[in-house]
Amino acid sequence: MDWRGRRGSRNIEDRRGARVGSIGGLGGAGVLAVLLIGWFLGVDVTPLLEEGGGSPEPREMTAEDQAAAEFVSVTLADTEEVWTQVFREQLGAEYQPPVLVLFSEATRSPCGGASGATGPFYCPLDRKAYLDTAFFATMERQLGASGDFAAAYVVAHEIGHHVQNELGILEEANTLRAGMSEADSNAVSVRIELQADCLSGIWARRAEQRFGSLEPGDVEEAMNAARQIGDDTLQRNAGQRPMPHTFTHGTSEQRVRWFERGYASGDLADCDSFAARDL
């Protein structure tokens, strides 16, 4: 991905270096889930779970930290231009971009805690995406999803949730989930996530056309990332038998298929995962 020397976004909130203790709103099962995810991904989640464990002293940023932040800033700027164009052309509407919060290890949001263990996070309540760039290293070392465009796909996926929020889809889907059984709620969650994958595919297509930023192998990197973070693959890699009723993001095959769908079409109408009979 050709990103160096290009415009970055101003919609970055940098909280790196400020440790925040205690995830609010997590019960015992939630804490256990975070611990298990941290164990599987090899991420230290202690700062997230400690009461008042934050350190007021900022962590010194390394050259690698700065490069990761610049990469995210450029990718975010690309999403802003792409979705502004798509909203105007396809909806006759104005796109309101989100803020992306960079943090180290753990932070808080109105939707609860965010951590390097649980991965990137979008909160519709404050319209912000949350990202610890250390997750990119986790993707490469623990998940087998390497490459800068794999990381860009992750950013684009979270911004896809913001697009859903802008369109009113996210609120409607989450309201629907609130009155459902766990299995049915999970099934709706899968459709939310697959639509965000499709939207990230639209972004990839438009970024290629608008900026010429994609290089040979980039799309394959994104599809490999989608494949590696499918629910069935993650459960197998954790030594578990895949249990479809627990899936919340979709299988590897589904995630790749919906990314490809958006990339091939570039049309919002083709990303309606809620109307699809076969995912």
Side-chain angles (χ1 to χ4, degrees):
M1 179 180 173
D2 181 15
W3 65 271
R4 289 177 175 82
R6 296 175 47 221
R7 182 185 76 85
S9 173
R10 295 181 178 179
N11 293 311
I12 296 285
E13 181 182 332
D14 197 342
R15 299 183 188 174
R16 292 176 298 170
R19 290 191 172 189
V20 180
S22 174
I23 285 185
L26 279 186
V31 170
L32 178 60
V34 170
L35 287 171
L36 287 172
I37 292 170
W39 171 80
F40 174 62
L41 297 180
V43 179
D44 179 13
V45 299
T46 306
L48 188 68
L49 301 175
E50 290 176 345
E51 288 289 345
S55 168
E57 303 225 352
R59 179 172 66 87
E60 184 178 349
M61 294 295 104
T62 66
E64 185 178 2
D65 290 330
Q66 295 298 354
E70 290 172 14
F71 169 79
V72 170
S73 179
V74 170
T75 303
L76 183 62
D78 286 357
T79 68
E80 291 165 355
E81 292 192 38
V82 164
W83 288 115
T84 294
Q85 183 182 47
V86 170
F87 269 50
R88 286 176 181 171
E89 290 179 358
Q90 298 186 20
L91 302 173
E94 290 297 314
Y95 173 67
Q96 300 297 323
V99 167
L100 191 150
V101 177
L102 293 175
F103 67 93
S104 298
E105 297 183 2
T107 192
R108 293 192 182 97
S109 82
C111 296
S115 80
T118 54
F121 178 76
Y122 176 73
C123 179
L125 297 180
D126 63 0
R127 297 164 49 88
K128 294 180 180 181
Y130 292 79
L131 172 67
D132 181 347
T133 55
F135 185 73
F136 298 152
T138 298
M139 288 174 59
E140 180 174 356
R141 296 168 188 166
Q142 273 80 37
L143 302 181
S146 61
D148 51 10
F149 205 72
Y153 153 75
V154 169
V155 175
H157 177 91
E158 295 310 317
I159 301 306
H161 286 312
H162 177 71
V163 172
Q164 291 173 313
N165 199 32
E166 284 283 282
L167 297 175
I169 295 170
L170 201 55
E171 180 179 5
E172 184 177 351
N174 284 332
T175 300
L176 186 66
R177 291 176 63 202
M180 291 181 162
S181 67
E182 183 177 357
D184 288 342
S185 175
N186 288 344
V188 174
S189 176
V190 167
R191 291 179 183 267
I192 292 172
E193 297 299 332
L194 293 180
Q195 185 176 56
D197 282 332
C198 187
L199 296 172
S200 66
I202 290 180
W203 167 78
R205 176 189 177 96
R206 291 286 185 135
E208 185 173 34
Q209 294 172 342
R210 187 176 179 91
F211 312 113
S213 55
L214 273 67
E215 298 173 330
D218 278 348
V219 173
E220 288 73 17
E221 286 181 3
M223 290 192 295
N224 177 59
R227 188 177 297 112
Q228 297 302 328
I229 56 179
D231 286 319
D232 54 337
T233 297
L234 288 175
Q235 289 185 0
R236 285 193 194 95
N237 289 343
Q240 302 172 359
R241 178 175 58 85
M243 297 178 287
H245 69 283
T246 68
F247 292 173
T248 57
H249 286 65
T251 67
S252 294
E253 181 184 1
Q254 289 170 334
R255 300 201 69 169
V256 170
R257 182 187 307 137
W258 280 87
F259 175 87
E260 287 182 313
R261 184 170 181 156
Y263 181 73
S265 166
D267 193 331
L268 282 170
D270 289 327
C271 287
D272 190 355
S273 57
F274 297 92
R277 296 181 62 181
D278 182 11
L279 295 177

